[in-house]
Amino acid sequence: PKCKARQFVPAQLGNFLLLELLGKGGMAGVYRAHDETLGRQVAIKVMRRELGEDPKFIENFLREARAAAQLNHRNIVSIHAVGEEKGQPFIVMELLDGGRFDLMIHDQKSVDEVRALEVALDVAEGLKAANDIGLVHGDIKPANILFDRTGVAKVADFGLARFQSRKIRQGEIWGTPYYIAPEKVRSQKEDHRSDIYSLGATLYHALGGKPPFEGDTATDVVMARLNEPPIRLSDIRP
């Protein structure tokens, strides 16, 4: 105990051993885990315990699994299974250890143009596969673009995805302010073009080193988008 070294003890979740926390958001944490049944490493997204009793959050969480499970494409993170243990829903996904686009942008400040276009093509192929079954991702951003060991980009986190035919509740807005499409802010109908806009904003950030619109709060960012055009990318990076 005197060495004060941090010791991690794997947690049991059904047939899975949670080994390492890879990241967390407002709704769930993502863990590297060992599948004891199939003997392989996977990623598991586990609902935060305090949200487990909220039907609204449960619905959003499980919608991610149902939406993404219908997609089998090289540019979309595969969903293996979905389950619930002690009141905590979880989603089992393929484990990708090639990094994330947001971390690449952070480390490199601005991404090489050719590499950025390679990522964009991969993401566009994944979004097209989703659009082919009527699915809109709804939250394309650098943190939702992951890489496998060969550098292929894959779209992750369909938690905000919804079928185009599904009605959005009045006043309900889903998305990340820096990359959200203007029609979503105005609670208008969204389709595949909304994802294209968000991908464009993501590329702007990758190439220019900052998002197309900024502000002190989420509202400030959204209002900047509605009231003025972005700075020309060529002015930021000739």
Side-chain angles (χ1 to χ4, degrees):
K2 292 182 180 179
C3 72
K4 298 182 180 179
R6 180 173 292 185
Q7 184 73 23
F8 291 96
V9 179
Q12 188 79 38
L13 187 73
N15 296 323
F16 303 94
L17 280 177
L18 306 186
L19 305 176
E20 175 190 3
L21 179 64
L22 299 177
K24 59 183 178 180
M27 188 170 154
V30 180
Y31 296 84
R32 179 191 300 270
H34 177 70
D35 184 338
E36 294 184 309
T37 302
L38 298 178
R40 63 180 177 180
Q41 296 266 303
V42 296
I44 296 186
K45 176 172 282 191
V46 183
M47 172 79 72
R48 283 172 49 189
R49 185 177 300 276
E50 59 265 35
L51 301 177
E53 297 180 355
D54 187 333
K56 168 93 172 157
F57 279 99
I58 295 291
E59 176 189 356
N60 292 338
F61 189 83
L62 295 180
R63 187 193 312 140
E64 172 175 343
R66 289 192 293 267
Q70 299 181 62
L71 299 168
N72 182 16
H73 193 275
R74 71 184 292 270
N75 297 122
I76 295 177
V77 176
S78 298
I79 300 296
H80 296 322
V82 61
E84 187 172 350
E85 184 76 13
K86 298 178 181 178
Q88 288 187 280
F90 61 88
I91 299 174
V92 184
M93 306 171 288
E94 69 172 311
L95 178 65
L96 297 176
D97 49 14
R100 295 195 325 233
F101 201 29
D102 61 327
L103 298 180
M104 178 187 293
I105 295 171
H106 179 270
D107 292 341
Q108 300 181 12
K109 305 308 177 186
S110 60
V111 179
D112 172 75
E113 183 178 351
V114 173
R115 181 58 181 140
L117 291 174
E118 290 174 345
V119 173
L121 288 171
D122 281 345
V123 174
E125 290 288 352
L127 292 176
K128 180 182 183 301
N131 181 67
D132 286 343
I133 64 169
L135 193 62
V136 176
H137 183 281
D139 195 24
I140 293 296
K141 58 184 178 181
N144 282 339
I145 300 173
L146 312 182
F147 302 104
D148 65 14
R149 292 183 178 180
T150 67
V152 173
K154 301 195 176 196
V155 181
D157 196 355
F158 271 80
L160 301 180
R162 50 170 53 82
F163 283 98
Q164 293 177 21
S165 60
R166 179 179 176 269
K167 294 290 186 181
I168 301 175
R169 295 171 186 170
Q170 185 66 31
E172 183 181 46
I173 298 176
W174 296 94
T176 302
Y178 293 123
Y179 317 101
I180 191 171
E183 62 271 16
K184 296 186 66 175
V185 176
R186 298 186 177 108
S187 297
Q188 297 172 343
K189 179 177 172 57
E190 59 181 294
D191 57 25
H192 64 283
R193 292 170 293 185
S194 306
D195 283 343
I196 292 174
Y197 177 94
S198 296
L199 176 57
T202 294
L203 284 176
Y204 184 108
H205 190 171
L207 294 170
K210 64 179 183 179
F213 302 97
E214 296 182 288
D216 294 333
T217 67
T219 301
D220 292 339
V221 175
V222 170
M223 293 307 297
R225 165 61 190 90
L226 296 179
N227 295 333
E228 57 191 57
I231 299 173
R232 289 175 59 88
L233 192 55
S234 58
D235 290 341
I236 299 175
R237 187 177 174 190

